[in-house]
């Protein structure tokens, strides 16, 4: 690979080549500084001004910032929603959380598996020797379970969001209104003591809200990167969740705050 100018001069290569990483860093700058200067971002990220402009346009189209002359300003304390296929960070933590979630599976009956990278890990390791009805709003999760003859798998139907692969809108809502499940394994983009569980998309938030009401027991699977953040659309309060399973990267202060609400918290 041809060295960059920085590498040729003995300086570390500061380029951030992946769009998802750049956009997370842009939003982090907005959260901490209240404004992001396009020229400064290009220098910090080691990319061209045009690349930064495209990132800002993409984030503005998602409703996460407002472009102004020379840069951008935030539209609130929001989180970026990367495509599901790109969510490879914290893979070990997500796998530990998924394994811990297995202890909450009923011996028989029905479960609901929300969309998300951690819930997808759970689907991968779901026991194939139990007669369970599995409902999901995510096609990739349903496909991952098709090889298990004892599992009866249902998808909710509806419009499929390209970013997350989740089924949303009226068909999904009608399906959730007609079912009752023993346990729902849920995900969330952001988790806050004050604002509860939030996600960037209103249609997906509406489906998640109905998932909570259709389940007798609700288990939230969330790695430490989700905490202390607020996204656009609220779909649950902490009191709506029975158990939170997270990893040991979550700060002791955050764990104490979560437990102070009466939430049962498992750390793996």
């Amino acid at each position: 690979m041809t060295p960059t100018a920085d590498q040729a001069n003995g300086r570390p290569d500061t380029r951030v080549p992946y769009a998802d990483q750049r956009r997370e860093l842009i939003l982090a700058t907005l959260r901490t500084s209240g404004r992001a200067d396009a020229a400064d971002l290009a220098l910090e990220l080691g990319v061209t001004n045009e690349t930064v402009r495209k990132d800002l346009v993409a984030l503005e189209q998602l409703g996460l910032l407002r472009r102004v002359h020379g840069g951008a300003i935030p539209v609130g304390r929001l989180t970026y929603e990367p495509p599901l296929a790109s969510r490879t960070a914290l893979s070990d933590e997500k796998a530990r959380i998924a394994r811990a979630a297995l202890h909450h599976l009923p011996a028989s009956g029905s479960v609901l598996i929300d969309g998300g990278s951690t819930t997808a890990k759970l689907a991968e390791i779901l026991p194939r020797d139990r007669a369970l009805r599995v409902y999901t709003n995510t096609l990739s999760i349903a496909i991952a379970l098709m090889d298990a003859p004892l599992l009866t798998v249902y998808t909710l139907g509806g419009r499929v969001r390209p970013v997350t692969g989740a089924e949303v809108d009226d068909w999904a809502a009608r399906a959730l209104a007609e079912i009752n499940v023993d346990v729902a394994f849920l995900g969330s983009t952001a988790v806050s003591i004050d604002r509860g569980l939030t996600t960037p998309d209103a249609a997906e938030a509406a489906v998640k809200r109905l998932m909570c009401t259709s389940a007798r027991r609700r288990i939230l699977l969330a790695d430490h990167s989700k905490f202390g953040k607020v996204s656009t659309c609220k779909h649950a309060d902490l009191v709506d969740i029975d158990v939170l399973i997270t990893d040991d990267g979550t700060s002791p202060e955050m764990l104490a705050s979560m437990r102070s609400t009466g939430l049962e918290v498992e750390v793996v």
Side-chain angles (χ1 to χ4, degrees), residues 101-119:
L102 290 177
H103 298 296
H104 296 275
L105 276 176
S108 61
S110 58
V111 299
L112 193 158
I113 303 179
D114 189 8
S117 52
T118 308
T119 50

Side-chain angles (χ1 to χ4, degrees), residues 1-16 46:
M1 184 174 66
T2 303
T4 65
D6 277 343
Q7 290 172 322
N9 289 311
R11 295 192 298 269
D13 184 2
T14 60
R15 291 176 304 166
V16 181

Side-chain angles (χ1 to χ4, degrees), residues 2-266:
T2 303
T4 65
D6 277 343
Q7 290 172 322
N9 289 311
R11 295 192 298 269
D13 184 2
T14 60
R15 291 176 304 166
V16 181
Y18 299 111
D20 293 333
Q21 293 176 315
R22 291 197 308 271
R23 292 167 190 178
E24 277 281 13
L25 289 169
I26 290 169
L27 290 176
T29 299
L30 289 173
R31 286 193 293 267
T32 57
S33 303
R35 180 184 173 90
D37 181 84
D40 290 344
L41 287 171
L43 185 62
E44 179 182 355
L45 299 173
V47 296
T48 65
N49 289 342
E50 177 62 16
T51 296
V52 169
R53 187 192 70 80
K54 290 178 180 178
D55 287 337
L56 294 179
V57 168
L59 291 169
E60 185 176 49
Q61 290 173 345
L62 290 171
L64 299 183
L65 55 76
R66 183 161 65 88
R67 287 191 298 151
V68 296
H69 180 70
I73 58 176
V75 185
R77 298 193 307 129
L78 304 177
T79 56
Y80 171 56
E81 182 182 33
L84 183 61
S86 71
R87 301 177 193 178
T88 56
L90 303 175
S91 180
D92 290 343
E93 290 87 342
K94 294 173 190 290
R96 296 205 307 269
I97 292 169
R99 287 194 294 271
L102 290 177
H103 298 296
H104 296 275
L105 276 176
S108 61
S110 58
V111 299
L112 193 158
I113 303 179
D114 189 8
S117 52
T118 308
T119 50
K121 293 280 188 183
L122 172 62
E124 291 175 7
I125 61 172
L126 204 70
R128 270 48 175 175
D129 59 352
R130 299 190 196 185
L132 291 171
R133 295 185 305 279
V134 182
Y135 297 87
T136 183
N137 66 329
T138 309
L139 294 175
S140 58
I141 289 177
I143 291 170
L145 298 172
M146 286 176 58
D147 64 342
L150 294 182
L151 299 180
T152 305
V153 182
Y154 302 84
T155 65
L156 301 181
R159 175 174 63 90
V160 179
R161 289 193 67 224
V163 175
T164 62
E167 298 166 332
V168 296
D169 294 342
D170 290 346
W171 288 356
R174 285 199 299 270
L176 285 167
E178 295 175 0
I179 64 173
N180 299 291
V181 299
D182 295 305
V183 183
F185 295 98
L186 305 169
S188 184
T189 302
V191 183
S192 161
I193 296 292
D194 297 326
R195 295 298 298 158
L197 280 59
T198 52
T199 199
D201 184 74
E204 202 153 329
V207 169
K208 288 176 177 289
R209 202 172 297 124
L210 291 169
M211 285 181 173
C212 281
T213 61
S214 69
R216 181 177 57 83
R217 187 167 171 80
R218 295 161 291 273
I219 314 296
L220 174 63
L221 312 183
D223 65 71
H224 68 267
S225 70
K226 306 296 179 68
F227 296 109
K229 297 181 179 179
V230 178
S231 194
T232 316
C233 303
K234 182 175 179 178
H235 54 92
D237 287 304
L238 290 177
V239 294
D240 298 320
I241 302 301
D242 295 297
V243 179
L244 162 67
I245 305 177
T246 188
D247 63 272
D248 56 9
T250 306
S251 71
E253 296 78 15
M254 179 58 70
L255 293 173
S257 296
M258 292 286 171
R259 287 175 171 136
S260 70
T261 68
L263 178 63
E264 180 182 342
V265 179
E266 295 182 13

